[in-house]
């Protein structure tokens, strides 16, 4: 959950870890398990549910049968570097935030700048300065060498490269078949709630809300005017209680309040430019031809320079990004209460179960005759069925996922602190009454307002399989 001020959204959560120390009563009781067996390692009786992994809470047997290595492909050199930095900063930042003078989860959101932030700004300016130099050199070669062949070709190439590396402002998809985009006139209740929460965390509201089918939420900005976009994943939104929905909005709007240097327009666009350089200069692994060998040799020096500059920019900004997540969690706890913020983070643990429920719905819609009519019929109540599936996850599975995520740490994500550290940080705060409570009448009005666009999103999900 980090703020994104250009085309890359800041997400509510990732497959990170949690800790029982700061948990809430989430999921159903383990008494719901009808069967059990003895642990082969310690002999303790363990519950068995065919929907989930069988494991032992006493000794940890089979807690992570797949292991972190199965989660995703082996990362490249830059990604490994980012994860190493994230691991170092994550533990260090958690310890630093324990200081009474630091920004605790109940403290007001503040902005801090330091030497690392200034270094990040200077490095980003250097990246964009290189792009400007390429454009200037390309123009000069075109003017000076017009009609002379090689100079003109080289000038055009440099200009094209500068255009490719230019800073981007982000944009909205313009396909008319896209998921629902809501403006103020479309959803006055939702925008009024967003405005109230934004005022509570010290920022302004959003200009547009996008409803999508991801188990997530995010904020971003787009266009030259830097308009604000809030993306709500309906599978996640539908599983949350009213107070947890307040926490979700408080977290996302908190990203706007504290100002994340890494995802600001200047630094973010510089990172995108460096990623483009990495792609252009990527080493050829196809192998054996003389031309491949020559290209690899010629691009070795600039390739390592790009790797080094990326490492410097990552090192200068990654800590601020992780700190931004803690601050956003604090905003959620302040506006909705600590228990609601904790419940939100724990709900993200079972994102895999929510995605499995969505997959079953998609398969069911595609295996019925009369596709369009059946899709529309099955779209009725889709999000309610997904919510029921998520709430049926027992506490035993929540605990297993907490332990798995704690074991894996930063193996999955490098921009978010481990969720178990975020939950322990929330647990440091004294319980306080929430700033805003969503009454039953207002929650019902909000659900009614979102009924039509949510149904449209459900039809698109069943038709396309993903969004």
């Amino acid at each position: 959950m980090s703020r994104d001020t250009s085309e890359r959204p800041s997400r509510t959560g990732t497959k990170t870890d949690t800790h029982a120390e700061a948990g809430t009563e989430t999921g159903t009781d383990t008494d719901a398990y009808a069967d059990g067996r003895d642990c082969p390692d310690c002999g303790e009786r363990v519950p068995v549910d065919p929907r989930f992994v069988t494991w032992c809470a006493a000794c940890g047997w089979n807690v992570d049968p797949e292991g972190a290595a199965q989660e995703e492909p082996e990362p490249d050199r830059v990604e490994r570097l980012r994860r190493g930095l994230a691991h170092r900063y994550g533990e260090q930042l958690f310890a630093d935030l324990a200081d009474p003078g630091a920004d605790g989860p109940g403290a007001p959101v503040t902005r801090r700048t330091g030497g690392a932030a200034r270094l990040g700004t200077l490095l980003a300016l250097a990246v964009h300065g290189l792009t400007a130099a390429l454009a200037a050199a390309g123009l000069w070669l075109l003017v000076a060498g017009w009609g002379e062949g090689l100079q003109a070709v080289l000038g055009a190439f440099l200009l094209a490269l500068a255009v490719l590396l230019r800073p981007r402002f982000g944009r909205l998809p313009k396909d008319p078949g896209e998921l629902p985009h809501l403006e103020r006139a479309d959803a006055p209740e939702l925008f009024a709630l967003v405005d109230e929460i934004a005022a509570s965390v010290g920022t302004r509201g959003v200009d547009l809300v996008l409803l999508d089918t991801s188990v997530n939420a995010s904020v971003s900005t787009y266009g030259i005017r830097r308009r604000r976009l809030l993306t709500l994943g309906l599978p996640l939104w539908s599983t949350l209680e009213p107070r947890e929905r307040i926490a979700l909005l408080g977290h996302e709007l908190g990203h706007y309040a504290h100002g994340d240097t890494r995802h600001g327009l200047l630094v973010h666009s510089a990172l995108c430019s460096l990623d483009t350089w990495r792609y252009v200069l990527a080493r050829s692994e196809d192998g054996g031809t003389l031309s491949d060998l020559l290209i690899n040799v010629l691009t070795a020096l600039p390739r390592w320079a790009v790797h080094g500059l990326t490492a410097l920019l990552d090192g200068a900004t990654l800590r601020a990004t992780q700190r931004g997540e803690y601050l956003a969690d604090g905003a959620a706890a302040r506006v909705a209460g600590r228990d609601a913020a904790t419940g939100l983070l724990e709900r993200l643990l079972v994102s895999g179960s929510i995605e499995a429920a969505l997959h079953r719905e998609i398969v069911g819609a595609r295996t019925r005759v009369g596709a369009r009519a059946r899709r529309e019929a099955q779209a009725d109540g889709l999000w309610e069925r997904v919510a029921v599936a998520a709430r049926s996850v027992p506490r035993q599975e929540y605990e297993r996922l907490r332990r798995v995520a704690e074991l894996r740490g930063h193996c999955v994500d490098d921009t978010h602190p481990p969720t178990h550290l975020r939950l322990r940080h929330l647990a440091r705060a004294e319980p306080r009454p929430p700033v805003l409570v969503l009454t039953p009448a207002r929650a019902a009005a909000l659900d009614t307002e979102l009924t039509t666009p949510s149904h449209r999103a459900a039809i698109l999900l069943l038709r396309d399989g993903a969004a």
Side-chain angles (χ1 to χ4, degrees):
M1 292 184 280
S2 58
R3 177 183 174 229
D4 192 338
T5 56
S6 73
E7 58 266 70
R8 182 172 59 190
S10 107
R11 298 183 179 276
T12 294
T14 55
K15 296 177 183 176
T16 48
D17 38 353
T18 55
H19 196 347
E21 173 184 335
T24 55
E25 292 287 316
T26 312
T28 58
D29 196 282
T30 53
D31 291 340
Y33 289 103
D35 302 314
R37 58 169 289 185
D38 293 335
C39 171
D41 283 359
C42 69
E44 286 288 325
R45 193 70 175 170
V46 298
V48 174
D49 186 318
R51 300 175 300 166
F52 304 105
V53 172
T54 300
W55 68 289
C56 179
C59 68
W61 166 78
N62 206 41
V63 66
D64 187 12
E66 293 183 349
Q70 301 297 320
E71 195 69 28
E72 60 180 342
E74 178 67 20
D76 62 19
R77 182 183 294 105
V78 172
E79 187 64 22
R80 289 197 298 271
L81 174 64
R82 286 172 172 164
R83 291 180 182 183
L85 288 172
H87 179 75
R88 184 166 73 248
Y89 290 151
E91 299 287 344
Q92 186 183 70
L93 185 58
F94 174 74
D96 291 346
L97 288 172
D99 189 302
D103 297 306
V109 173
T110 59
R111 294 175 184 244
R112 292 183 182 178
T113 58
R118 288 190 289 272
L119 175 60
T121 300
L122 290 174
L123 291 171
L125 288 172
V127 172
H128 294 312
L130 176 59
T131 302
L134 289 174
L139 284 173
W140 183 83
L141 286 171
L142 280 175
V143 172
W146 188 258
E148 296 181 14
L150 185 59
Q151 278 185 288
V153 171
L154 181 57
F157 172 76
L158 293 179
L159 271 180
L161 191 57
V163 170
L164 184 65
L165 298 172
R166 73 191 186 280
R168 288 172 170 79
F169 297 100
R171 63 180 181 178
L172 289 174
K174 296 182 179 180
D175 185 344
E178 284 292 326
L179 291 160
H181 292 75
L182 305 179
E183 298 182 349
R184 288 185 176 272
D186 303 319
E189 284 286 345
L190 176 60
F191 276 86
L193 178 62
V194 169
D195 288 342
E196 288 183 49
I197 296 173
S200 298
V201 301
T203 188
R204 67 172 179 86
V206 299
D207 302 293
L208 199 63
V209 175
L210 169 65
L211 302 180
D212 78 357
T213 57
S214 64
V215 189
N216 220 315
S218 65
V219 289
S220 59
T221 58
Y222 63 94
I224 296 176
R225 296 171 58 190
R226 314 311 296 149
R227 289 167 58 86
R228 292 184 171 185
L229 172 67
L230 168 66
T231 301
L232 291 178
L234 289 169
L236 175 61
W237 180 261
S238 65
T239 66
L240 300 178
E241 299 176 2
R243 60 178 189 157
E244 293 169 346
R245 292 179 177 181
I246 298 292
L248 174 66
L249 295 175
H251 178 100
E252 296 304 332
L253 293 166
H255 285 301
Y256 286 129
H258 61 70
D260 185 349
T261 302
R262 182 184 177 92
H263 293 112
L265 176 62
L266 182 67
V267 173
H268 174 73
S269 56
L271 286 169
C272 289
S273 294
L274 288 172
D275 285 342
T276 303
W277 274 116
R278 289 172 55 206
Y279 175 78
V280 171
L281 298 171
R283 178 183 176 86
S284 174
E285 302 292 346
D286 293 336
T289 67
L290 183 60
S291 60
D292 287 340
L293 178 61
L294 180 61
I295 291 173
N296 288 337
V297 170
L298 292 176
T299 59
L301 186 59
R303 182 169 60 247
W304 282 103
V306 168
H307 285 329
L309 191 54
T310 303
L312 285 173
L313 194 52
D314 272 328
T317 57
L318 188 55
R319 181 182 172 89
T321 297
Q322 291 196 1
R323 179 175 174 273
E325 289 299 324
Y326 284 115
L327 292 178
D329 289 339
R334 193 164 56 256
V335 72
R338 187 186 69 179
D339 289 344
T342 299
L344 168 63
L345 289 178
E346 292 219 339
R347 187 66 68 187
L348 291 167
L349 282 176
V350 295
S351 61
S353 294
I354 299 173
E355 290 167 355
L358 290 173
H359 179 70
R360 288 193 296 270
E361 294 285 345
I362 293 168
V363 171
R366 291 185 172 185
T367 54
R368 291 181 173 89
V369 181
R372 182 171 181 178
R374 295 287 185 177
R375 275 199 305 267
E376 293 190 4
Q378 191 168 342
D380 292 331
L382 170 65
W383 307 120
E384 289 77 7
R385 295 193 297 273
V386 170
V388 169
R391 291 167 188 153
S392 72
V393 178
R395 288 200 302 270
Q396 178 82 356
E397 180 65 6
Y398 275 85
E399 175 61 21
R400 186 187 75 84
L401 291 170
R402 283 193 290 265
R403 295 195 190 187
V404 168
E406 189 166 357
L407 288 171
R408 296 185 183 184
H410 285 284
C411 291
V412 176
D413 183 31
D414 61 358
T415 59
H416 291 66
T419 309
H420 77 284
L421 295 183
R422 292 165 64 186
L423 284 169
R424 287 169 61 187
H425 183 60
L426 284 174
R428 291 166 170 166
E430 296 181 3
R432 297 181 182 179
V435 173
L436 181 62
V437 176
L438 197 60
T439 64
R442 194 173 184 186
L446 190 60
D447 287 338
T448 300
E449 186 175 78
L450 296 179
T451 298
T452 299
S454 297
H455 186 263
R456 179 186 167 197
I459 292 175
L460 290 173
L461 173 69
L462 296 177
R463 185 196 72 187
D464 300 334

